[in-house]
Amino acid sequence: MIIKSKVITHPVAEPITVSDMKDILKIDHTSEDSYISRLITRARRIAENYCGLSFLTQTREINLDSFPCGSIILPHGPVQSVSSFTYIDTDEIQQTLTVSTDFRIDIDSDICRVEAIDTWPTANDQINAVTIQYLAGFTNVLQDQLPEEAVEMTSRLVARMYEKRGDENAPLLTDDIMQIGDLIKVYWNANV
């Protein structure tokens, strides 16, 4: 089964400020501040996707058609906590599962896994019968927990997008940028 994680609530901050990015780009005016801010957000999202990580605190969600035989992988960690875990039962009623009673979560490993305490209940035979929302990311405000590579990759992507704007054929993820991301990239198998 393929597990795709979507962002429900985006981070309230970015890994690099507009001011710091302007210093890197050697820009001393304010006329492009909003453009640079948009580039930072776009670059972070590209870098997060490449690395398979959530750099800053955000709410993510996965949907499954049924419970697996084993554990469930929560991609794009690090996972901080599970906010809600629901499923539609065979009577088509939404049920809520509770941590420590119905399931346990491994947030200490690089790849977060959720497993049943006993066995998974039976979900209704329908699309998106199981939904897990979770909080993921290194941090929001205290940038000290965020790996330096995340900040470096984001800033290099911003610089590349700024310098190559208008050139639709210019690749964004160049070898030097990917090499930085490879230092923190999480490899997980989406086909569980």
Coordinates of all heavy atoms in Angstrom, one line a residue, residues 144-191:
D144 N 17.8 26.0 16.5 CA 18.9 25.2 16.9 C 18.7 23.7 16.7 O 19.6 22.9 16.6 CB 19.3 25.5 18.3 CG 18.2 25.3 19.3 OD1 17.1 25.5 19.0 OD2 18.6 24.8 20.4
Q145 N 17.5 23.2 16.7 CA 17.2 21.8 16.5 C 17.1 21.4 15.1 O 17.2 20.2 14.7 CB 15.9 21.4 17.2 CG 15.9 21.5 18.7 CD 14.6 21.2 19.3 OE1 13.6 20.9 18.6 NE2 14.5 21.2 20.6
L146 N 17.0 22.3 14.2 CA 16.9 22.1 12.8 C 18.3 21.8 12.2 O 19.2 22.6 12.5 CB 16.3 23.3 12.1 CG 16.0 23.2 10.6 CD1 15.0 22.1 10.3 CD2 15.5 24.5 10.0
P147 N 18.5 20.7 11.5 CA 19.8 20.4 11.0 C 20.3 21.6 10.1 O 19.6 22.1 9.3 CB 19.6 19.1 10.2 CG 18.4 18.5 10.7 CD 17.5 19.7 11.2
E148 N 21.6 21.9 10.2 CA 22.2 22.9 9.4 C 22.0 22.7 7.9 O 21.9 23.6 7.1 CB 23.7 23.0 9.7 CG 24.0 23.6 11.0 CD 25.5 23.6 11.3 OE1 26.3 23.8 10.3 OE2 25.9 23.5 12.5
E149 N 22.0 21.4 7.5 CA 21.8 21.0 6.1 C 20.5 21.5 5.6 O 20.4 21.8 4.4 CB 22.0 19.5 5.9 CG 23.4 19.0 6.2 CD 23.6 18.7 7.7 OE1 22.8 18.9 8.5 OE2 24.7 18.2 8.0
A150 N 19.5 21.5 6.4 CA 18.1 21.9 6.0 C 18.1 23.4 5.7 O 17.6 23.8 4.7 CB 17.1 21.6 7.1
V151 N 18.8 24.2 6.5 CA 18.9 25.6 6.3 C 19.7 25.9 5.0 O 19.4 26.7 4.2 CB 19.5 26.3 7.5 CG1 19.6 27.8 7.2 CG2 18.6 26.1 8.7
E152 N 20.9 25.2 4.9 CA 21.8 25.4 3.8 C 21.1 25.0 2.5 O 21.2 25.7 1.5 CB 23.0 24.6 4.0 CG 24.1 24.7 2.9 CD 24.7 26.1 2.8 OE1 24.6 26.9 3.8 OE2 25.3 26.4 1.8
M153 N 20.4 23.9 2.5 CA 19.7 23.4 1.2 C 18.7 24.4 0.8 O 18.5 24.8 -0.3 CB 19.1 22.0 1.4 CG 18.5 21.5 0.2 SD 18.0 19.8 0.4 CE 17.5 19.3 -1.2
T154 N 17.9 24.9 1.8 CA 16.8 25.8 1.5 C 17.4 27.1 1.0 O 16.9 27.7 0.0 CB 16.0 26.1 2.8 OG1 15.4 24.9 3.3 CG2 14.9 27.1 2.5
S155 N 18.4 27.7 1.6 CA 19.0 28.9 1.2 C 19.6 28.8 -0.2 O 19.5 29.7 -1.1 CB 20.0 29.5 2.2 OG 21.1 28.6 2.3
R156 N 20.3 27.7 -0.5 CA 20.8 27.5 -1.9 C 19.8 27.4 -2.9 O 19.9 27.8 -4.0 CB 21.7 26.3 -1.9 CG 23.1 26.5 -1.2 CD 24.1 25.4 -1.5 NE 25.3 25.6 -0.8 CZ 26.4 25.1 -1.1 NH1 26.5 24.4 -2.2 NH2 27.5 25.3 -0.4
L157 N 18.7 26.7 -2.6 CA 17.5 26.6 -3.5 C 16.9 28.0 -3.8 O 16.6 28.3 -4.9 CB 16.4 25.7 -3.0 CG 16.6 24.2 -3.3 CD1 15.6 23.4 -2.4 CD2 16.3 24.0 -4.8
V158 N 16.8 28.8 -2.7 CA 16.3 30.2 -2.9 C 17.2 31.0 -3.8 O 16.8 31.6 -4.8 CB 16.1 30.9 -1.5 CG1 15.8 32.4 -1.8 CG2 15.1 30.3 -0.7
A159 N 18.5 30.9 -3.6 CA 19.5 31.6 -4.4 C 19.4 31.1 -5.8 O 19.4 32.0 -6.8 CB 20.9 31.4 -3.9
R160 N 19.3 29.9 -6.0 CA 19.2 29.3 -7.4 C 17.9 29.8 -8.1 O 17.9 30.2 -9.3 CB 19.2 27.8 -7.4 CG 19.0 27.2 -8.7 CD 20.2 26.2 -9.0 NE 20.0 25.6 -10.3 CZ 20.7 26.0 -11.4 NH1 21.6 26.9 -11.3 NH2 20.5 25.4 -12.5
M161 N 16.8 29.8 -7.4 CA 15.5 30.2 -8.0 C 15.6 31.7 -8.3 O 15.0 32.2 -9.3 CB 14.4 29.9 -7.1 CG 14.0 28.4 -7.0 SD 12.5 28.0 -6.1 CE 13.1 28.3 -4.4
Y162 N 16.2 32.5 -7.4 CA 16.3 33.9 -7.6 C 17.2 34.3 -8.8 O 16.8 35.1 -9.6 CB 16.9 34.6 -6.3 CG 16.9 36.1 -6.4 CD1 15.8 36.9 -6.0 CD2 18.1 36.8 -6.7 CE1 15.8 38.2 -6.1 CE2 18.1 38.1 -6.8 CZ 17.0 38.9 -6.5 OH 17.0 40.3 -6.5
E163 N 18.3 33.6 -8.9 CA 19.2 33.9 -10.0 C 18.7 33.4 -11.3 O 19.0 33.9 -12.4 CB 20.6 33.2 -9.7 CG 21.3 33.9 -8.5 CD 22.5 33.0 -8.0 OE1 22.7 31.9 -8.5 OE2 23.1 33.4 -7.0
K164 N 17.9 32.3 -11.3 CA 17.5 31.7 -12.6 C 16.0 32.0 -12.9 O 15.4 31.3 -13.7 CB 17.7 30.1 -12.5 CG 19.1 29.7 -12.3 CD 19.9 30.0 -13.5 CE 21.3 29.5 -13.4 NZ 22.2 29.8 -14.5
R165 N 15.4 33.0 -12.2 CA 14.0 33.3 -12.5 C 13.8 33.7 -13.9 O 14.7 34.3 -14.5 CB 13.5 34.4 -11.5 CG 14.1 35.7 -11.7 CD 13.5 36.7 -10.8 NE 14.5 37.7 -10.5 CZ 14.2 38.7 -9.7 NH1 13.1 38.8 -9.1 NH2 15.1 39.6 -9.5
G166 N 12.8 33.2 -14.5 CA 12.5 33.4 -15.9 C 13.1 32.3 -16.8 O 12.7 32.2 -17.9
D167 N 14.0 31.5 -16.3 CA 14.6 30.4 -17.0 C 13.9 29.1 -16.6 O 14.3 28.5 -15.7 CB 16.1 30.4 -16.8 CG 16.8 29.3 -17.6 OD1 16.1 28.6 -18.4 OD2 18.0 29.2 -17.5
E168 N 12.9 28.8 -17.3 CA 12.1 27.6 -17.0 C 12.8 26.3 -17.2 O 12.4 25.3 -16.8 CB 10.7 27.7 -17.7 CG 9.9 28.9 -17.3 CD 8.7 29.1 -18.2 OE1 8.5 28.3 -19.1 OE2 8.1 30.2 -18.1
N169 N 13.9 26.3 -18.0 CA 14.6 25.1 -18.3 C 15.7 24.9 -17.3 O 16.4 23.8 -17.3 CB 15.2 25.2 -19.7 CG 14.1 25.2 -20.7 OD1 13.1 24.6 -20.6 ND2 14.3 26.0 -21.8
A170 N 16.0 25.8 -16.4 CA 17.1 25.6 -15.4 C 16.6 24.7 -14.3 O 15.6 24.9 -13.7 CB 17.5 27.0 -14.8
P171 N 17.3 23.6 -14.1 CA 17.0 22.6 -13.0 C 17.2 23.3 -11.7 O 18.1 24.0 -11.4 CB 17.9 21.5 -13.2 CG 19.1 22.0 -13.9 CD 18.6 23.2 -14.8
L172 N 16.2 23.0 -10.7 CA 16.4 23.6 -9.4 C 17.3 22.7 -8.5 O 18.1 23.3 -7.8 CB 15.0 23.7 -8.7 CG 14.0 24.7 -9.4 CD1 12.7 24.7 -8.6 CD2 14.6 26.1 -9.4
L173 N 17.1 21.4 -8.5 CA 17.9 20.6 -7.7 C 19.1 20.1 -8.4 O 19.2 19.1 -9.1 CB 17.1 19.3 -7.3 CG 16.0 19.6 -6.2 CD1 15.1 18.4 -6.0 CD2 16.6 20.0 -4.9
T174 N 20.2 20.9 -8.3 CA 21.4 20.6 -8.9 C 22.2 19.6 -8.0 O 21.9 19.4 -6.9 CB 22.3 21.9 -9.1 OG1 22.4 22.6 -7.9 CG2 21.6 22.8 -10.1
D175 N 23.3 19.0 -8.5 CA 24.0 18.0 -7.8 C 24.5 18.6 -6.5 O 24.4 17.9 -5.4 CB 25.2 17.5 -8.6 CG 24.8 16.6 -9.8 OD1 23.6 16.1 -9.7 OD2 25.6 16.4 -10.7
D176 N 25.0 19.8 -6.4 CA 25.6 20.4 -5.2 C 24.5 20.5 -4.1 O 24.7 20.3 -2.9 CB 26.3 21.7 -5.4 CG 25.5 22.8 -6.0 OD1 24.6 22.5 -6.9 OD2 25.6 23.9 -5.6
I177 N 23.3 20.9 -4.6 CA 22.2 21.1 -3.6 C 21.7 19.7 -3.1 O 21.4 19.5 -1.9 CB 21.0 21.9 -4.3 CG1 21.5 23.3 -4.5 CG2 19.8 21.9 -3.4 CD1 20.5 24.2 -5.3
M178 N 21.6 18.8 -4.0 CA 21.1 17.4 -3.6 C 22.1 16.8 -2.7 O 21.7 16.0 -1.8 CB 20.9 16.5 -4.9 CG 19.7 17.0 -5.6 SD 19.2 15.8 -7.0 CE 20.5 16.0 -8.1
Q179 N 23.4 17.0 -2.9 CA 24.4 16.4 -2.0 C 24.2 16.9 -0.6 O 24.5 16.2 0.4 CB 25.8 16.8 -2.5 CG 26.2 16.0 -3.7 CD 27.6 16.4 -4.3 OE1 28.2 17.4 -3.9 NE2 28.1 15.6 -5.2
I180 N 23.8 18.2 -0.4 CA 23.6 18.7 0.9 C 22.3 18.0 1.5 O 22.4 17.5 2.7 CB 23.3 20.2 0.9 CG1 24.6 20.9 0.5 CG2 22.8 20.7 2.3 CD1 24.4 22.4 0.1
G181 N 21.3 17.8 0.7 CA 20.1 17.1 1.2 C 20.4 15.7 1.5 O 19.7 15.1 2.4
D182 N 21.3 15.0 0.7 CA 21.6 13.6 0.9 C 22.1 13.3 2.3 O 22.0 12.2 2.8 CB 22.5 13.1 -0.1 CG 21.9 13.0 -1.5 OD1 20.6 12.9 -1.6 OD2 22.6 12.9 -2.5
L183 N 22.7 14.4 2.9 CA 23.3 14.2 4.3 C 22.2 14.0 5.4 O 22.5 13.4 6.4 CB 24.1 15.4 4.7 CG 25.4 15.6 3.8 CD1 26.0 16.9 4.1 CD2 26.4 14.4 4.0
I184 N 21.0 14.4 5.1 CA 19.9 14.3 6.1 C 18.7 13.5 5.5 O 17.7 13.3 6.2 CB 19.4 15.7 6.6 CG1 19.0 16.6 5.5 CG2 20.5 16.3 7.4 CD1 18.3 17.9 5.9
K185 N 18.7 13.1 4.3 CA 17.6 12.5 3.6 C 17.2 11.2 4.3 O 18.1 10.4 4.7 CB 18.0 12.2 2.1 CG 16.9 11.7 1.3 CD 17.2 11.6 -0.2 CE 16.0 11.2 -1.0 NZ 16.3 11.3 -2.4
V186 N 15.9 11.0 4.4 CA 15.4 9.7 5.0 C 14.9 8.9 3.9 O 14.1 9.3 3.1 CB 14.3 10.0 6.1 CG1 13.7 8.8 6.5 CG2 14.8 10.8 7.2
Y187 N 15.3 7.6 3.9 CA 14.9 6.7 2.9 C 13.9 5.8 3.5 O 14.2 5.1 4.4 CB 16.1 5.9 2.3 CG 17.1 6.8 1.6 CD1 18.1 7.4 2.2 CD2 16.9 7.0 0.2 CE1 19.0 8.2 1.6 CE2 17.8 7.9 -0.5 CZ 18.9 8.4 0.2 OH 19.8 9.2 -0.4
W188 N 12.7 5.8 3.0 CA 11.6 4.9 3.5 C 10.9 4.3 2.3 O 10.8 5.0 1.2 CB 10.7 5.6 4.5 CG 10.1 6.8 3.9 CD1 10.6 8.1 3.9 CD2 8.8 7.0 3.3 NE1 9.8 9.0 3.3 CE2 8.6 8.3 2.9 CE3 7.8 6.1 3.0 CZ2 7.5 8.8 2.3 CZ3 6.7 6.6 2.3 CH2 6.5 7.9 2.0
N189 N 10.4 3.2 2.4 CA 9.7 2.5 1.3 C 8.2 2.9 1.4 O 7.5 2.5 2.3 CB 9.9 1.0 1.5 CG 9.3 0.2 0.3 OD1 8.7 0.8 -0.6 ND2 9.5 -1.1 0.3
A190 N 7.8 3.6 0.4 CA 6.4 4.0 0.3 C 5.5 2.8 0.0 O 4.3 2.9 0.2 CB 6.2 5.1 -0.7
N191 N 6.0 1.7 -0.5 CA 5.2 0.6 -0.9 C 5.3 -0.4 0.3 O 6.1 -1.3 0.3 CB 5.7 -0.1 -2.2 CG 5.6 0.9 -3.3 OD1 4.5 1.5 -3.5 ND2 6.6 1.0 -4.1

